Amino acid sequence: MTGAVFIEIFKQTWKQMLAWGLGLAALAMLVVLMVPLFDMQDMKTLLESFPPFILAMIGVGRDLEVFATNEGFVAIGFFGKSALIFAVYPVVMGMRITAEEEDNGIMDVLLSLPVSRAQVLVEKFLAYCVSIVGVVALIYLGVGIGDSLGNVGLDVGRLTEVTFYLIPLMIFVMAATMLVAALARRRMVALGVITAFVVASFSLQTIGLAAEGTVAEPLGTVSFFSYYNAGDILREGFIWPHIAGYIALSLVMLGASLVRYERRDVGV
Amino acid sequence: MSGIIIGNTLRTAWKQMLYWGLGLGLLGMYIVFIASNSDIVQGYADLFESLPPALLTAFGASSAEFFRTTEGWVVTILVSELALFLSVYAVLAGLAISANEEQSGILDVVLSLPISRRAFLLEKWLAYALLAFGTVLISALLPTLTAIGLGIDADIGIIFASILAVYPSALIVITVTVLLSTLFRRRIAAIGAVAAFVIGSYMSSIVGSSASGPIADLLETLSYFSHVGGESIVSGEYEPGGTLALLVAAGLGFALSAHLFDRRDIGT
Amino acid sequence: MAASSVIDIKGLSKIYGSGSKATVALDKLTLQVQPGEIFGYLGPNGAGKTTTIRVLLDLIRPSSGSASIFGMDARQQSVEIHQRIGFLPGELSLWQGRSGAQVIHYIASVRGDIKSIVKQAEELAARLKLDISKKVRDLSSGNKRKLGLVIAMMHSPDLLILDEPTNGLDPLVQQTFHELMNEFRDKGKTVFLSSHVLSEVQAICDRVGILRDGDLKAVQSVDALTDVKFRWVHVQFRDGVPAEVAQGLRNLPAVSEFNADGPHARMRLQGDFDPLLRTLGAGYVEQLHVEEPTLEDIFLAYYSGEGAGA
């Protein structure tokens, strides 16, 4: 592995990484700046009267101490409710691993060079993983800057785990996109399938939370979004089994993509 | 205006409309199926009865009446998700009006034909406006027919009308995408800008509806998600003026796009 | 012979799709390209030229048969093969937002020896009058093609695979391209180029393969291919074409496609000249012009199923 593809991809992507990171950081800042508009003590009193399934629906969980804090509001209001938004960037990057360049013919040039298909895929995957880390780091920076600008008095340290937990989630989505593109060949088909997958996962999770006690609840656990629960993360920190699950599944999908892409025709 | 471009666009893009309509319709069917368990709706209704209005807005419902009825529960859960997912469809549709063909060079060929740029853009916009309506219609028909099939105790007309009320927001997103494609020329820049618009609107809606005060109110007003209108249909407070305003805004946005598109270089 | 071939294709078939939608792109193709030759791969659109090239590059996999380059299997040892080849696709796509220099640097870094490759690329670019500081999106189609040629040749590969290489190049640059190809051959290197520009193939190729509907119709040297047994004969009479001469010419078995227009007559002659000259003797011939068949004629002859020597 020469790293040349990795470096080039990073050169080509850093501007998009910056744009996405700054955009999401701006949103994070906006949410942080809104925190003073809430009276957290009133909120806590109110939430104490709620039964568990309502709390689950809004992603608060059973520990009210978590939500009724500034950090809890940011974690659940921004990171929890906006999980779908964080899935967009990895889908865009995942499409670039093979689908985009295969569709526009660049892959023909790349694969005529002395580099194996597996090497191209792995180096690109790793480069986009780094860009995901960059985007997440910028979001974290946005939270910190929002706190300073608005004098919110947020304990930013408590949001570290909630923020960086996004990395395995986003890598999972990117790996799924790569696998779909390796299987589907055609870019538009791949985009359609991965969009349906992400949208269905998000819906299963939200409906599962809103309909506790019905068939929607166990179905909700099938969604990969269910393992990114901002309230739980704020309370318990990194939930390592879930992170390991994201990483293991990402690696399995990476492996399956390599096998499939190695065997099939390119650009047909 | 000959209508040839409208016809051609409908022929090439109807499958996309069908797939999106079926996908979103399936989501609606699932929610209606869950709602057929009356305990769930009753549980929410009892609970929300006791909540103060400020908190209810955080759930996406402005009055306890919403959760009292099955149609209220369905609309509250479904419409917010539909508006978000339909925005993705609308962005793709908006890009297909000019940006995709400009980038691929197809526009050079099309505009070498005896058709004015304004007529071309108008026909494509009308075609995608029709396709978006078709998507919304299918999305509305499937859950409505499911509700009838399951014989659920709900005002099915309200469910149908509330889903159709999402349409103007899709038209707004299509138009904004066309406008941004006209302004930025480069497809990738247009995508970035329209993604910022949709995500920013979504977050503004969430934050604005969760908090109180002039800033929050302004954010909520600026977001097109806040004007979707499904909940006002449920509560009987629907006023066609809001929908009309969105449609007029879309028309004006298109007129501006056509004016700018007529004045600028193509494909450079 | 096959062991020393640079390219060795045996019984190669490629079928796209399956069942009733199956399309045979290549049908049991067998072909060898020798070291140090410029091999022209001729055929109309859809004949299977690009499919052959993409199999050689391991971008697509054959339905049956095999292809090897430098004695290495095109599929199993593709990375080793790619180290020694340069490729220009028929429709070149590159990263729009990168400059020519950046693209060259990237590809050179994948190949390894960045410094010498970039130096060679700059020399080639200067020779082709290409400004590599411009972004790809700002290059004209001809200049993109030049960049593609630079990328294909900058590492001095042992084999060049070029798909319609002169598409979009102006005549002056085409001339430079021909010079480059000849210099390349003089170094003992091999070129496999697909084309439908027959004059180009005639000008630079040593051998030609003619492909039609996935089937290799003929492989011959350009000289042998043009050594066919028909000629175009133009005759100019002083007082128009005499009726009895016209009738006589039409009746000659060796003459076909006879056309008379005023004093001019044009015909295709297959075989000896003697019967023609005896028939012409009945009129007053001012001028007689014999034209060798062009490669286009031969090309059409192959496509119409007549083959060379028809």
Side-chain angles (χ1 to χ4, degrees):
Chain A
M1 209 154 101
T2 61
V5 177
F6 176 90
I7 292 165
E8 175 64 21
I9 293 302
F10 201 73
K11 281 183 193 168
Q12 290 178 10
T13 312
W14 72 269
K15 280 184 190 167
Q16 282 95 331
M17 180 191 83
L18 207 62
W20 275 91
L22 291 176
L24 292 172
L27 284 176
M29 272 174 59
L30 178 74
V31 174
V32 170
L33 289 169
M34 299 298 285
V35 167
L37 300 176
F38 284 86
D39 183 333
M40 292 302 165
Q41 198 50 48
D42 284 356
M43 180 75 83
K44 187 185 168 194
T45 311
L46 193 67
L47 290 174
E48 277 170 351
S49 64
F50 282 20
F53 80 95
I54 285 288
L55 298 176
M57 176 190 162
I58 56 172
V60 173
R62 286 172 170 75
D63 190 353
L64 295 181
E65 298 296 334
V66 174
F67 184 70
T69 60
N70 292 347
E71 297 76 30
F73 176 79
V74 174
I76 292 162
F78 177 63
F79 290 102
K81 276 204 156 190
S82 310
L84 187 66
I85 291 170
F86 300 119
V88 178
Y89 182 76
V91 165
V92 173
M93 295 301 126
M95 291 296 290
R96 288 186 180 183
I97 294 178
T98 60
E100 295 281 351
E101 294 197 342
E102 195 171 340
D103 194 60
N104 63 25
I106 289 180
M107 198 58 102
D108 280 19
V109 177
L110 198 53
L111 292 180
S112 75
L113 304 176
V115 60
S116 69
R117 295 184 185 190
Q119 187 181 336
V120 169
L121 261 63
V122 170
E123 288 197 28
K124 285 182 136 193
F125 181 78
L126 290 175
Y128 290 128
C129 282
V130 171
S131 83
I132 283 175
V133 173
V135 167
V136 173
L138 285 168
I139 295 170
Y140 187 61
L141 204 64
V143 173
I145 292 172
D147 179 53
S148 301
L149 284 179
N151 218 4
V152 179
L154 207 63
D155 184 353
V156 178
R158 288 191 68 203
L159 288 169
T160 307
E161 285 159 328
V162 178
T163 314
F164 286 94
Y165 207 110
L166 282 173
I167 293 171
L169 172 84
M170 291 168 81
I171 288 175
F172 172 87
V173 176
M174 187 172 72
T177 309
M178 178 172 65
L179 178 61
V180 169
L183 291 170
R185 295 189 189 187
R186 286 177 56 197
R187 182 177 158 273
M188 285 312 289
V189 175
L191 190 59
V193 171
I194 194 64
T195 304
F197 171 71
V198 171
V199 164
S201 298
F202 185 73
S203 301
L204 280 176
Q205 186 221 13
T206 50
I207 297 165
L209 289 173
E212 202 176 50
T214 70
V215 68
E217 189 187 356
L219 277 176
T221 62
V222 174
S223 165
F224 67 88
F225 283 111
S226 295
Y227 303 94
Y228 178 79
N229 185 315
D232 287 349
I233 300 164
L234 198 63
R235 194 173 51 245
E236 299 171 29
F238 287 127
I239 303 168
W240 292 108
H242 292 177
I243 292 176
Y246 279 133
I247 293 172
L249 283 172
S250 300
L251 290 174
V252 167
M253 288 190 287
L254 172 65
S257 305
L258 295 181
V259 170
R260 175 64 187 146
Y261 204 66
E262 187 61 39
R263 290 182 180 178
R264 75 164 167 88
D265 291 349
V266 171
V268 176
Chain B
M1 202 170 86
S2 64
I4 292 170
I5 289 176
I6 293 181
N8 186 57
T9 307
L10 293 178
R11 271 194 297 278
T12 53
W14 70 270
K15 277 188 188 170
Q16 194 187 21
M17 172 197 80
L18 190 67
Y19 295 151
W20 272 89
L22 289 176
L24 296 177
L26 277 172
L27 171 67
M29 287 169 72
Y30 179 58
I31 290 172
V32 166
F33 175 72
I34 299 299
S36 65
N37 179 345
S38 59
D39 292 345
I40 266 254
V41 177
Q42 193 53 48
Y44 276 105
D46 293 345
L47 238 146
F48 277 68
E49 187 89 7
S50 60
L51 296 186
L55 194 75
L56 274 169
T57 57
F59 296 98
S62 59
S63 122
E65 292 299 316
F66 288 175
F67 275 74
R68 185 182 291 281
T69 60
T70 304
E71 63 269 18
W73 190 86
V74 169
V75 169
T76 306
I77 303 285
L78 177 59
V79 165
S80 59
E81 296 215 350
L82 267 186
L84 181 61
F85 300 148
L86 207 61
S87 297
V88 180
Y89 171 79
V91 168
L92 295 177
L95 289 171
I97 289 176
S98 67
N100 291 350
E101 293 190 349
E102 185 165 4
Q103 170 144 318
S104 65
I106 295 173
L107 208 52
D108 287 14
V109 179
V110 176
L111 292 181
S112 73
L113 303 175
I115 182 167
S116 73
R117 291 190 192 184
R118 285 170 195 254
F120 163 78
L121 206 66
L122 178 62
E123 290 205 26
K124 293 270 283 196
W125 184 73
L126 286 174
Y128 277 102
L130 270 175
L131 289 163
F133 186 74
T135 305
V136 176
L137 191 63
I138 297 167
S139 312
L141 280 173
L142 288 183
T144 305
L145 293 174
T146 306
I148 293 169
L150 291 173
I152 65 169
D153 181 20
D155 187 332
I156 290 165
I158 283 184
I159 294 177
F160 186 71
S162 299
I163 298 173
L164 284 189
V166 179
Y167 175 66
S169 69
L171 198 59
I172 284 285
V173 177
I174 289 175
T175 307
V176 168
T177 309
V178 174
L179 182 60
L180 292 170
S181 303
T182 304
L183 287 171
F184 286 96
R185 296 191 191 182
R186 281 178 54 201
R187 188 171 161 273
I188 188 79
I191 291 173
V194 77
F197 169 73
V198 172
I199 293 172
S201 295
Y202 181 66
M203 285 305 301
S204 296
S205 166
I206 288 178
V207 172
S209 63
S210 303
S212 53
I215 301 171
D217 291 346
L218 178 67
L219 284 173
E220 192 175 4
T221 307
L222 287 176
S223 168
Y224 70 87
F225 283 101
S226 308
H227 304 284
V228 167
E231 288 159 6
S232 58
I233 291 175
V234 177
S235 63
E237 296 163 358
Y238 176 73
E239 286 180 13
T243 302
L244 198 64
L246 283 179
L247 293 174
V248 169
L252 290 174
F254 171 74
L256 179 61
S257 306
H259 175 70
L260 295 172
F261 190 65
D262 202 41
R263 293 164 67 96
R264 75 163 170 84
D265 293 346
I266 296 289
T268 53
Chain C
M1 183 173 168
S4 62
S5 302
V6 171
I7 296 174
D8 188 7
I9 298 171
K10 286 179 183 161
L12 186 74
S13 295
K14 178 65 185 177
I15 299 165
Y16 292 115
S18 58
S20 60
K21 288 184 178 175
T23 306
V24 179
L26 290 175
D27 188 16
K28 300 185 188 75
L29 179 74
T30 295
L31 173 69
Q32 281 84 36
V33 176
Q34 305 307 324
E37 72 172 334
I38 300 179
F39 188 92
Y41 201 44
L42 279 171
N45 298 331
K49 302 186 298 289
T50 300
T51 298
T52 309
I53 287 174
R54 300 188 86 235
V55 171
L56 288 172
L57 289 162
D58 189 40
L59 293 170
I60 56 174
R61 275 64 191 267
S63 304
S64 64
S66 65
S68 66
I69 298 177
F70 305 123
M72 295 182 277
D73 184 82
R75 176 161 186 193
Q76 302 300 328
Q77 293 162 283
S78 61
V79 176
E80 290 88 342
I81 291 170
H82 293 180
Q83 193 76 49
R84 296 175 60 189
I85 66 170
F87 168 55
L88 175 67
E91 287 181 27
L92 177 66
S93 290
L94 294 166
W95 301 268
Q96 296 291 314
R98 309 291 281 167
S99 70
Q102 286 172 322
V103 171
I104 286 167
H105 189 275
Y106 173 29
I107 289 177
S109 62
V110 174
R111 290 201 172 280
D113 187 6
I114 302 174
K115 207 173 171 182
S116 67
I117 292 176
V118 169
K119 185 169 177 285
Q120 175 101 342
E122 286 168 351
E123 287 171 12
L124 279 166
R127 206 161 155 193
L128 290 165
K129 296 184 173 60
L130 170 68
D131 179 1
I132 57 173
S133 67
K134 281 187 176 175
K135 283 192 175 176
V136 170
R137 80 163 64 90
D138 297 328
L139 293 174
S140 67
S141 57
N143 281 330
K144 272 183 201 152
R145 208 83 195 130
K146 289 181 192 175
L147 180 59
L149 277 172
V150 170
I151 290 166
M153 298 181 71
M154 64 188 184
H155 56 294
S156 301
D158 294 322
L159 169 66
L160 266 178
I161 297 178
L162 310 173
D163 195 359
E164 310 275 1
T166 55
N167 266 0
L169 294 182
D170 64 52
L172 283 176
V173 181
Q174 281 187 31
Q175 189 56 43
T176 310
F177 169 73
H178 292 172
E179 289 167 17
L180 284 168
M181 291 301 104
N182 287 327
E183 288 168 21
F184 200 74
R185 173 177 45 197
D186 293 344
K187 290 176 187 166
K189 299 185 177 198
T190 311
V191 181
F192 181 86
L193 69 87
S194 80
S195 180
H196 56 248
V197 183
L198 301 164
S199 56
E200 170 181 283
V201 170
Q202 209 166 7
I204 61 171
C205 290
D206 303 304
R207 284 200 308 149
V208 176
I210 295 183
L211 192 71
R212 186 191 183 191
D213 296 335
D215 186 25
L216 194 64
K217 295 288 183 190
V219 179
Q220 293 195 20
S221 70
V222 171
D223 292 341
L225 204 65
T226 50
D227 185 24
V228 290
K229 293 173 180 168
F230 76 84
R231 309 281 185 275
W232 289 105
V233 179
H234 300 259
V235 186
Q236 186 180 323
F237 292 90
R238 187 178 59 191
D239 307 311
V241 183
E244 67 273 26
V245 173
Q247 191 56 46
L249 290 172
R250 284 197 180 96
N251 290 339
L252 281 178
V255 170
S256 60
E257 297 180 41
F258 176 83
N259 277 302
D261 182 14
H264 302 283
R266 181 178 183 269
M267 69 212 78
R268 182 172 138 154
L269 173 70
Q270 187 167 354
D272 295 338
F273 275 87
D274 190 66
L276 174 78
L277 293 174
R278 289 179 191 281
T279 310
L280 290 176
Y284 189 95
V285 175
E286 283 188 339
Q287 285 189 42
L288 178 71
H289 173 62
V290 178
E291 184 187 332
E292 294 295 316
T294 64
L295 213 45
E296 273 86 351
D297 295 322
I298 299 158
F299 205 47
L300 292 171
Y302 275 101
Y303 287 157
S304 63
E306 292 177 46

